[in-house]
């Protein structure tokens, strides 16, 4: 593996895990010392990460990307659009206007309902290829295990959650949609890494994933879509609430001292 690629992946990993302090400038000299390389591969890696949208440029240099609260909401809305489209693509073409799906899930969250889809015709044969079915069945088994034996919150759980959603989206047959979702994940992952889920949220996550997978395997795409929209809308509301609360606590912390 080229040296610049290794540094790029190491920086990408450390950004996602919150190892690099978001408020500190990314100095080439310090990073070169940290990763045991010269400044050239570090400079090349930083340029790639900036192009990926994972860094932002301030007057004094590059910093880890930190979304504003409204940007965070926009990224989650993009997640909803991408992931819903993955299921929508599985519906056979049907003439006439589509019936509304997901209005209830989106209502009250500030998210417009995604374009809805027509219900699959009765007696329709399986809409997934065998490989897709196997992958989704594998994800179902993983999340049943997580439900029965909840793991310790951490990077492994976040990775499992992302893999589930990427698998479902990729099963829609459009790799570009999955690539776009991966890019969204890369930008919100540092926020998720610092937001440790409670046992209750892990249980709810597992239940939602199991339900989505079971509906997909049963070709009940309308219910799968509704469940997915409710799941993503709940996640968006939770993250935004936590982010706003963190900002309020930060302001409060600046007003007092020991």
């Amino acid at each position: 593996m080229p040296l610049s690629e290794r540094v790029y992946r190491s920086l990408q990993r450390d950004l996602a895990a919150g190892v690099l302090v978001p408020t500190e400038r990314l100095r080439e000299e310090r990073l070169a010392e940290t990763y045991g390389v010269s400044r050239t591969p570090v400079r090349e890696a930083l340029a790639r990460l900036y192009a990926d949208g994972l860094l932002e440029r301030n007057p004094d240099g590059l910093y880890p990307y930190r979304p504003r609260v409204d940007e965070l909401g926009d990224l989650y809305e993009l997640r909803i659009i991408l992931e819903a489209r993955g299921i929508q693509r599985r519906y056979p073409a049907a003439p006439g206007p589509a019936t509304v799906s997901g209005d209830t899930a989106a209502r009250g969250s500030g998210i417009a309902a995604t374009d809805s889809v027509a219900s699959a015709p009765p007696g329709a044969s399986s809409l997934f290829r065998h490989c897709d079915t196997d992958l989704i069945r594998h994800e179902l088994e993983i999340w049943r295990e997580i439900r029965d034996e909840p793991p310790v919150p951490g990077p492994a759980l976040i990775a499992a959650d992302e893999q589930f959603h990427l698998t479902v989206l990729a099963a829609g047959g459009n790799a570009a949609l999955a690539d776009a979702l991966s890019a969204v994940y890369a930008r919100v992952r540092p926020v998720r890494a610092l937001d440790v889920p409670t046992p209750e949220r892990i249980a709810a996550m597992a239940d939602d994933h199991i339900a989505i997978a079971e509906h997909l395997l049963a070709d009940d795409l309308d219910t799968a879509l509704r469940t997915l929209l409710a799941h993503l809308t709940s996640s968006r509301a939770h993250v935004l609430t936590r982010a706003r609360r963190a900002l309020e606590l930060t302001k409060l912390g600046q007003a007092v001292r020991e």
Side-chain angles (χ1 to χ4, degrees):
M1 180 187 301
L3 193 56
S4 60
E5 179 69 19
R6 180 168 65 83
V7 175
Y8 169 78
R9 293 189 182 185
S10 296
L11 275 167
Q12 190 179 53
R13 178 199 63 221
D14 290 345
L15 284 168
V19 173
L20 300 172
V21 180
T23 55
E24 289 187 6
R25 181 164 69 90
L26 297 173
R27 301 176 183 273
E28 291 181 6
E29 311 85 25
R30 183 181 301 173
L31 293 173
E33 181 179 348
T34 298
Y35 298 117
V37 297
S38 67
R39 292 175 58 180
T40 298
V42 169
R43 187 178 304 114
E44 293 172 353
L46 290 175
R48 288 180 62 186
L49 291 166
Y50 178 71
D52 291 342
L54 299 181
L55 304 180
E56 54 190 14
R57 188 180 299 279
N58 291 343
D60 60 337
L62 292 173
Y63 288 77
Y65 167 73
R66 290 193 300 162
R68 297 191 304 272
V69 173
D70 58 340
E71 290 176 332
L72 191 58
D74 290 346
L75 289 169
Y76 267 82
E77 185 173 356
L78 180 56
R79 273 194 67 186
I80 292 173
I81 293 171
L82 292 170
E83 296 193 45
R85 184 57 186 157
I87 294 179
Q88 290 169 339
R89 295 186 79 253
R90 281 299 179 182
Y91 281 82
T99 57
V100 173
S101 288
D103 279 345
T104 302
R107 190 175 297 122
S109 67
I111 304 174
T114 55
D115 291 339
S116 42
V117 292
S119 297
S125 59
S126 177
L127 299 175
F128 291 97
R129 299 187 301 273
H130 288 302
C131 61
D132 296 334
T133 302
D134 290 343
L135 289 172
I136 292 175
R137 186 173 288 110
H138 178 65
E139 287 296 324
L140 177 58
E141 293 173 358
I142 289 174
W143 284 92
R144 282 174 173 169
E145 291 177 3
I146 290 175
R147 177 195 60 191
D148 296 340
E149 297 183 16
V152 176
L157 179 62
I158 294 174
D161 176 57
E162 292 179 2
Q163 184 59 48
F164 174 85
H165 287 278
L166 286 168
T167 298
V168 170
L169 182 54
N174 186 332
L177 291 176
D179 289 343
L181 182 59
S182 294
V184 173
Y185 276 141
R187 301 186 78 181
V188 302
R189 194 177 297 126
V191 177
R192 298 191 66 197
L194 296 175
D195 181 26
V196 180
T198 62
E200 292 76 17
R201 282 200 58 78
I202 295 175
M205 181 192 302
D207 287 342
D208 286 350
H209 287 181
I210 290 168
I212 293 166
E214 289 178 340
H215 290 313
L216 288 173
L217 291 171
D219 277 347
D220 186 357
L221 302 187
D222 189 63
T223 305
L225 178 59
R226 291 179 184 275
T227 306
L228 175 69
L229 287 171
H231 172 71
L232 295 177
T233 301
S234 174
S235 296
R236 179 183 187 271
H238 171 79
V239 168
L240 293 181
T241 297
R242 295 274 292 177
R244 293 188 179 105
R245 188 175 301 160
L247 289 175
E248 292 172 359
L249 290 175
T250 299
K251 293 177 182 177
L252 178 61
Q254 293 173 344
V256 298
R257 62 182 179 179
E258 295 182 358

